Amino acid sequence: MERKTDLKQKMKRFIVALYYIFFVFPKVTICLRVVGISVPSLKQRGESVTLTCDYDLEGGKLYSVKWYRDNEEFYRYMPRLRPPQHAHKLEGVKVDLEKSSARRVHLRDLTLKSRGIYRCEVSEEAPSFHSAQAETFMEIYYFPRENPRIVGHERPYVLHEPLDVNCSSAKAFPPPDLQWQINGQKVTEPSWLTTFDAKPAAQGLVISTLGLRAPAKPLMKIRCVATIGTHRRERTVLIETSSANRRKTSAHLTLVLILLSCILKIYQIIS
Ligand SMILES: *[C@@H]1O[C@H](CO)[C@@H](O)[C@H](O)[C@H]1NC(C)=O
């Protein structure tokens, strides 16, 4: 009988503990919040960046702030440790400890490898051990250093003959968007445009190519525009159109003249 009540007591305590774990503690510990993470969405290769993590401990004590890129830790700040900062080696992530703190981390010399999802994770000290986190994506751009190149425009084209020209961007990342313009008008006719796959270049960069197969016309100025976001580079060339039409009409005229003279001759013979 005594054993039974003992068991009942244990069960009761167990249920109370469960109740606390599932219903009371979570409410107590919801006080830590990561208010915001600030990571620029676009950066250029070679630039520096300051990432900030804003959190609200609401009375709790900070245990650690950890930063991750694509789930790999590269920086932690733990106020109990001396020194409180520690940076881990990670490709494309060069932490400047002097400019970093409990709420921000400064990265130098960004490379294309720096792109990824950045996450900050904040944890509180005992007894709550509660943690909160936020994440966001950072893209690294490499704008083309030169204007796009046009090939195939050097030779003369006969009127209405389809052009066979290509435009290739300088190496960049991500692949630049290419656009063709004829005398200032954007080419939208899909049958005139040939899209080629981006070609890989050194250091993870790429080259975009777009072909133009529009019919040649007189006084034709074609322009290729390469853009990444608001960054823009362009090149304009003139297409030389030979007057095949005039040659054709003169050929017709000669034929008509020959025919006429023949008719005249026949007429003379008959008469
Ligand atoms: C345009 O580029 C494509 C793909 O690189 C190539 O096959 C083609 O010969 C090029 N045309 C000209 C006129 O250069």
Side-chain angles (χ1 to χ4, degrees):
M1 193 67 190
E2 248 177 50
R3 255 189 210 164
K4 244 188 185 173
T5 46
D6 201 33
L7 200 75
K8 258 189 182 170
Q9 284 278 321
K10 272 186 182 163
M11 282 287 282
K12 228 180 181 175
R13 256 186 253 152
F14 180 68
I15 287 163
V16 168
L18 275 184
Y19 175 78
Y20 267 84
I21 286 166
F22 287 104
F23 299 103
V24 180
F25 284 155
K27 277 180 198 138
V28 170
T29 55
I30 270 167
C31 52
L32 171 65
R33 286 188 305 143
V34 171
V35 178
I37 179 169
S38 136
V39 173
S41 53
L42 311 177
K43 288 303 284 183
Q44 276 205 75
R45 197 177 83 169
E47 284 184 331
S48 303
V49 66
T50 301
L51 318 174
T52 60
C53 184
D54 271 327
Y55 45 86
D56 195 343
L57 295 167
E58 290 184 1
K61 264 187 108 179
L62 179 68
Y63 174 69
S64 69
V65 178
K66 293 177 184 171
W67 279 89
Y68 302 82
R69 187 203 61 204
D70 297 331
N71 295 322
E72 283 190 87
E73 189 185 330
F74 62 87
Y75 175 77
R76 65 167 65 178
Y77 184 96
M78 298 175 81
R80 275 171 172 272
L81 300 186
R82 288 287 163 257
Q85 296 171 304
H86 186 74
H88 303 277
K89 270 217 168 106
L90 189 58
E91 208 182 347
V93 175
K94 253 192 211 168
V95 178
D96 184 334
L97 287 178
E98 281 189 7
K99 290 184 179 166
S100 303
S101 67
R103 286 184 189 266
R104 64 184 189 181
V105 56
H106 187 83
L107 308 181
R108 286 183 288 125
D109 304 329
L110 295 174
T111 72
L112 293 182
K113 295 261 164 61
S114 313
R115 82 194 284 268
I117 297 169
Y118 284 79
R119 184 172 89 232
C120 78
E121 187 187 285
V122 183
S123 302
E124 274 183 339
E125 286 236 20
S128 78
F129 291 115
H130 190 254
S131 72
Q133 56 182 16
E135 64 179 32
T136 186
F137 181 73
M138 181 164 74
E139 177 69 284
I140 308 296
Y141 277 25
Y142 181 88
F143 295 128
R145 299 285 153 97
E146 292 112 42
N147 290 330
R149 284 180 44 203
I150 296 176
V151 292
H153 67 285
E154 306 88 350
R155 72 172 179 86
Y157 284 89
V158 172
L159 205 63
H160 305 309
E161 179 191 357
L163 301 183
D164 184 15
V165 293
N166 281 348
C167 170
S168 295
S169 70
K171 55 187 202 290
F173 191 87
D177 288 319
L178 295 178
Q179 186 198 95
W180 277 109
Q181 292 176 3
I182 298 175
N183 296 337
Q185 289 275 313
K186 182 183 171 182
V187 176
T188 52
E189 173 58 48
S191 64
W192 291 0
L193 300 169
T194 318
T195 315
F196 299 101
D197 289 337
K199 252 186 282 171
Q203 298 171 304
L205 302 174
V206 287
I207 291 168
S208 303
T209 301
L210 184 66
L212 179 65
R213 305 287 177 263
K217 56 184 185 182
L219 300 175
M220 195 182 203
K221 206 157 74 174
I222 58 170
R223 175 180 295 146
C224 173
V225 183
T227 52
I228 295 180
T230 56
H231 188 274
R232 173 189 171 107
R233 286 204 173 255
E234 59 177 61
R235 187 178 298 274
T236 307
V237 296
L238 271 166
I239 296 293
E240 197 189 312
T241 330
S242 73
S243 39
N245 248 21
R246 225 179 295 152
R247 255 186 269 148
K248 252 189 215 161
T249 42
S250 63
H252 284 162
L253 247 160
T254 328
L255 216 99
V256 168
L257 280 176
I258 290 169
L259 263 172
L260 260 174
S261 61
C262 280
I263 290 167
L264 260 171
K265 274 245 170 77
I266 294 167
Y267 185 75
Q268 274 170 2
I269 290 166
I270 292 171
S271 60

